[in-house]
Amino acid sequence: MYKGLTIIFGFLFLGGLIESAGVPIPGSVLGMLLLTLALITGIVRLEDVEREGEFLVRNMSIMFIPPGVGIILYLDLLKENLVAIGVALVLSFLITLFVTAKTVEVLRR
Amino acid sequence: MNIFGVFLTFFLYTAFSWVYAKKRTPALNPVLLSIVTIAVILKATGIKYEEYMESAKFLSFLLGPAVVSLAIPLYKQLSIIREYKKEIAVGVVVGGSTAILSAVYMLKAFHAPEILQRSFAPKSVTTAIAMGVSEKIGGIPPLTAVLVILTGILGNALAPELLNIFRVRDRVARGLATGVSSHGLGTARIITEDELAGAVSGLGMALNGVYTAFILPAIINFLV
């Protein structure tokens, strides 16, 4: 268990180092990419991180709740822009779904 | 307060997950319901958000390693990436860009404040990555988290039906469009109708997260 966690936190640490060196990308995303590369190249073996990693991924949902509750600090901003937020949310989703689907469909022909 | 915040989060998430498992309607998303309920409790009792967060922060601390761990499903799906590399690459870039541009320009049309545009821009990306990007580009991560979940609920509730209306039958197109537009919640739905569409959707989600994390910090100041 600790080997898997060491590897996962090691890559998070590495990603954070690169981020703090001035790369404008979240360190966790950099860590994910580096771990993917390490798995592809065989530097890290899947079975060394699989159990711990999949546990974290499967249980990701609950981790959004505490930061999500922070929304109460911005209720005024929400209220003042309720229509804009609602319209943008729905239309942007529709357009993205449509454009992506049609693009891939054209490529598949 | 120290344990109360963690207990409350676990308790509500467990309870709402149970309800969700019974009803299976996306409006009952357990994360969103838990956020709203805790927000109402804090408002009603006058407990400060900082006090709650002090107790519950170890849960969100795990987001970092969880994002790193997304490498594992990504790695396991490499064979699908190889098979559909052209569709996936083009679809993620076109779709990911559309998601960003449509969100920002729609809000601009409404003259919504810049900070809202920044919080909105990563809303089609999986929550953990979206919050990290939001923080990087000067948005409000909690607001982004809620917008991401609402977007996901739209995808979960409507993506397959909308794709039928759009007359999209190709499974790769259906999957990628769902994952790119509505991340994990959309993927959770499309995977129930077709395994290939689900796998492509999951990949679309992961790669759109990476694409957005790279592109958005570079372009956001030109957009808002």
Side-chain angles (χ1 to χ4, degrees), chain A residues 1-11 35 43-53:
Chain A
M1 173 183 161
Y2 294 110
K3 187 173 180 184
L5 289 178
T6 304
I7 294 169
I8 290 166
F9 276 89
F11 278 92
L35 179 55
I43 296 169
V44 171
R45 287 182 312 166
L46 181 63
E47 54 272 33
D48 285 338
V49 286
E50 197 173 10
R51 219 160 38 105
E52 297 77 7

Side-chain angles (χ1 to χ4, degrees), chain B residues 106-117:
Chain B
M106 210 79 72
L107 287 183
K108 264 182 132 49
F110 278 100
H111 305 289
E114 194 181 306
I115 192 156
L116 197 59
Q117 297 175 32

Side-chain angles (χ1 to χ4, degrees), chain A residues 84-96:
Chain A
I85 292 172
V87 173
L89 200 70
V90 173
L91 283 185
S92 174
F93 161 70
L94 278 177
I95 295 168
T96 306

Side-chain angles (χ1 to χ4, degrees), chain A residues 7-9 11-12 19 23-33 35-36 39-41 44 46 49-58 60-75 77-78 80-81 83-105 107-108, chain B residues 9-10 13 31 34-35 38-39 42-43 49 52-53 56 59-60 62-72 74-76 78 84 86-87 90-91 94-95 98-99 102-103 106-107 110 113 116 120 123 127-128 132-133 136 140 142-143 146-147 150-151 154-155 162-163 166-170 172-173 176-177 181 210 213-214 217:
Chain A
I7 294 169
I8 290 166
F9 276 89
F11 278 92
L12 181 61
E19 181 187 3
V23 177
I25 296 162
S28 55
V29 177
L30 294 168
M32 170 183 78
L33 283 176
L35 179 55
T36 309
L39 287 164
I40 292 171
T41 54
V44 171
L46 181 63
V49 286
E50 197 173 10
R51 219 160 38 105
E52 297 77 7
E54 287 189 339
F55 176 81
L56 286 166
V57 170
R58 257 202 320 278
M60 223 172 180
S61 294
I62 197 167
M63 305 170 196
F64 308 137
I65 296 172
V69 175
I71 193 90
I72 59 172
L73 303 173
Y74 305 96
L75 289 181
L77 180 72
L78 275 183
E80 282 157 23
N81 296 282
V83 178
I85 292 172
V87 173
L89 200 70
V90 173
L91 283 185
S92 174
F93 161 70
L94 278 177
I95 295 168
T96 306
L97 187 77
F98 183 81
V99 169
T100 314
K102 288 298 172 189
T103 303
V104 176
E105 213 179 33
L107 289 172
R108 296 278 286 157
Chain B
T9 309
F10 275 127
Y13 185 70
V31 175
S34 302
I35 289 174
I38 295 170
L42 295 190
K43 277 273 170 199
Y49 170 66
Y52 161 75
M53 192 56 179
L59 284 174
S60 49
L62 292 172
L63 275 174
V67 171
V68 172
S69 303
L70 287 172
I72 292 162
L74 194 60
Y75 171 71
K76 285 182 162 179
L78 272 183
Y84 302 106
K86 186 182 63 182
E87 290 90 340
V90 177
V94 172
T98 305
S102 60
M106 210 79 72
L107 287 183
F110 278 100
L116 197 59
F120 225 107
K123 62 107 184 68
T127 317
V133 173
K136 274 254 110 99
I140 304 163
L143 181 56
V146 170
L147 294 171
L150 291 172
T151 300
L154 286 173
L162 287 168
L163 289 165
F166 299 155
R167 297 181 187 284
V168 178
R169 290 196 188 83
D170 183 77
V172 176
L176 201 73
S181 65
V210 173
F214 273 84

Side-chain angles (χ1 to χ4, degrees), chain A residues 62 65-66, chain B residues 1-15 34 38 41 52 55-59:
Chain A
I62 197 167
I65 296 172
Chain B
M1 191 60 205
N2 243 325
I3 289 300
F4 181 68
V6 189
F7 166 72
L8 187 67
T9 309
F10 275 127
F11 174 74
L12 289 175
Y13 185 70
T14 308
S34 302
I38 295 170
I41 290 173
Y52 161 75
S55 159
K57 71 179 170 203
F58 100 91
L59 284 174

